């Protein structure tokens, strides 16, 4: 479940291992010892941020390669020793094809949100990435998924070697203390209801999820017209703007964030007071 510390669990174990065990045959530039693959840019950048915070007082280097960001800057990071590389699939393959990344030294492979990668159509890319790393029995593989469908289990069997299967049950302790409400209204009344709720209730930090980019754009402009301090997060928005928007939301400069579920999944923001599913999630 969100907020239970999964990212810290795999990062701390990787960092602890690297601090104890030196690289087997020295390290080449651009050849990460650990590769973490995540489905969305936001999640990848957040894992990178957490990894840098945890590795702060060590000599271990953390880098990321994600789409939509300055290619050359990312390439420069790869020109030196990289211990932990966090990546989204497409951009990682770009760098690999240009020989800026060498995955043959990968000792630990982490595949985060595997179910998400499946639903977003990334599995062919991930298969290519995995093929470029050492054999399953020569590396350690972590695969995380919120759901374990037969497809995911098949992939897990292909990619892991003699794996332990760990399931964390949803207990009342880690189910957040959430008050849930459902409003049954027609589509044409949703917007008015949302504006009224935002104005009447004490909602200081709100995320509204929509399931399409055009819907999110429309909501963003209608809420602005209603005088609400709002910002938008979707695949249409350039990556740098997304990062700035998230920071503003974190700092309280923006009250309402309207997001597609793709852009919003896995993002950790403290003190969100309300989450609105404007459409039912798929």
């Amino acid at each position: 479940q969100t907020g239970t510390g999964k990212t810290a669990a795999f990062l701390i174990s990787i960092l602890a291992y690297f601090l104890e065990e030196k690289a087997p045959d020295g390290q080449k530039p651009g050849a990460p010892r650990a590769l973490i693959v995540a489905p969305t840019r936001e999640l990848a950048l957040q894992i990178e941020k957490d990894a840098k915070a945890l590795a702060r007082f060590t000599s271990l280097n953390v880098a990321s390669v994600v789409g939509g960001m300055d290619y050359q800057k990312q390439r420069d990071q790869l020109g030196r020793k990289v211990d932990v590389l966090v990546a989204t699939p497409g951009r990682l393959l770009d760098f690999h094809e240009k020989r800026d990344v060498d995955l043959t030294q990968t000792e630990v492979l982490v595949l985060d949100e595997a179910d998400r990668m499946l639903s977003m159509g990334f599995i062919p890319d991930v298969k290519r990435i995995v093929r470029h790393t050492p054999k399953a029995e020569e590396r350690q593989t972590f695969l995380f998924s919120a759901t374990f469908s037969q497809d995911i289990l098949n992939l897990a069997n292909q990619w892991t070697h003699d794996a332990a299967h760990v399931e964390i049950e949803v207990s009342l302790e880690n189910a957040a203390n959430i008050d849930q409400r459902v409003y049954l209204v027609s589509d044409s009344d949703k917007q008015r209801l949302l504006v009224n709720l935002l104005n009447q209730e004490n909602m200081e930090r709100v995320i509204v999820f929509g399931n399409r980019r055009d819907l999110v754009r429309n909501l963003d402009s209608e809420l602005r017209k209603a005088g609400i301090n709002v910002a938008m997060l979707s695949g249409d928005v350039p990556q740098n703007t997304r990062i700035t928007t998230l920071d503003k939301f974190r700092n309280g400069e923006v009250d309402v964030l309207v997001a597609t579920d793709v852009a919003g999944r896995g993002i950790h923001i403290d003190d969100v007071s309300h989450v609105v599913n404007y459409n039912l999630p798929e």
Side-chain angles (χ1 to χ4, degrees):
Q1 261 179 302
T2 297
T4 48
K6 172 190 67 174
T7 310
F10 67 72
L11 285 173
I12 290 170
S13 62
I14 289 169
L15 297 174
Y17 167 53
F18 288 174
L19 290 171
E20 283 170 20
E21 298 283 336
K22 293 284 168 267
D25 46 3
Q27 275 175 278
K28 297 193 304 210
R33 295 183 69 189
L35 173 65
I36 300 165
V37 183
T40 65
R41 301 161 184 183
E42 279 73 21
L43 183 59
L45 293 173
Q46 189 168 296
I47 294 169
E48 179 194 31
K49 192 172 162 190
D50 292 343
K52 282 185 167 164
L54 288 168
R56 188 174 155 203
F57 298 109
T58 73
S59 60
L60 298 171
N61 284 332
V62 178
S64 69
V65 294
V66 302
M69 306 275 287
D70 187 319
Y71 194 91
Q72 194 51 48
K73 262 196 197 144
Q74 293 180 0
R75 194 176 174 185
D76 294 343
Q77 287 184 25
L78 297 172
R80 57 187 169 102
K81 171 177 91 81
V82 178
D83 297 291
V84 178
L85 181 64
V86 192
T88 49
R91 180 56 66 97
L92 179 60
L93 284 171
D94 288 347
F95 276 111
H96 189 270
E97 276 159 24
K98 295 194 169 71
R99 309 230 164 159
D100 290 319
V101 171
D102 175 356
L103 301 178
T104 58
Q105 311 292 301
T106 306
E107 295 167 61
V108 184
L109 172 66
V110 179
L111 303 166
D112 201 5
E113 297 204 348
D115 51 344
R116 186 75 178 160
M117 296 210 259
L118 188 69
S119 68
M120 290 171 75
F122 283 144
I123 295 304
D125 283 353
V126 177
K127 282 184 169 164
R128 283 169 61 203
I129 290 163
V130 174
R131 275 202 297 273
H132 295 309
T133 66
K135 290 199 211 56
E137 54 272 25
E138 291 169 11
R139 57 166 204 261
Q140 184 177 20
T141 310
F142 295 93
L143 181 141
F144 295 93
S145 185
T147 53
F148 276 103
S149 63
Q150 197 50 52
D151 285 342
I152 294 292
L153 290 169
N154 293 345
L155 291 169
N157 287 335
Q158 279 177 43
W159 291 336
T160 60
H161 173 67
D162 203 9
H165 182 122
V166 180
E167 281 200 51
I168 308 292
E169 66 175 347
V170 177
S171 68
L172 287 174
E173 289 80 67
N174 62 12
N177 176 18
I178 295 175
D179 166 34
Q180 305 200 48
R181 302 184 209 171
V182 178
Y183 295 92
L184 296 171
V185 292
S186 68
D187 276 353
S188 56
D189 290 330
K190 277 186 181 181
Q191 204 169 289
R192 196 163 68 240
L193 173 65
L194 178 61
V195 170
N196 289 342
L197 284 171
L198 290 171
N199 284 329
Q200 287 162 19
E201 305 248 348
N202 183 19
M203 297 193 177
E204 60 268 0
R205 192 164 294 172
V206 188
I207 302 183
V208 181
F209 283 120
N211 61 0
R212 294 199 321 273
R213 293 174 181 187
D214 56 333
L215 177 107
V216 164
R217 264 200 311 274
N218 184 32
L219 259 182
D220 177 68
S221 76
E222 291 302 319
L223 292 179
R224 269 170 214 280
K225 284 181 200 159
I228 287 159
N229 177 4
V230 63
M232 177 175 81
L233 207 64
S234 84
D236 286 349
V237 178
Q239 188 64 38
N240 292 341
T241 315
R242 286 194 218 158
I243 294 169
T244 318
T245 301
L246 270 177
D247 285 343
K248 283 186 175 164
F249 186 62
R250 280 198 178 97
N251 303 336
E253 292 169 54
V254 167
D255 301 329
V256 180
L257 190 62
V258 191
T260 53
D261 50 1
V262 171
R265 169 146 170 180
I267 293 175
H268 179 74
I269 294 166
D270 290 323
D271 309 324
V272 170
S273 65
H274 295 74
V275 174
V276 179
N277 283 307
Y278 195 81
N279 311 93
L280 285 175
E282 296 291 331

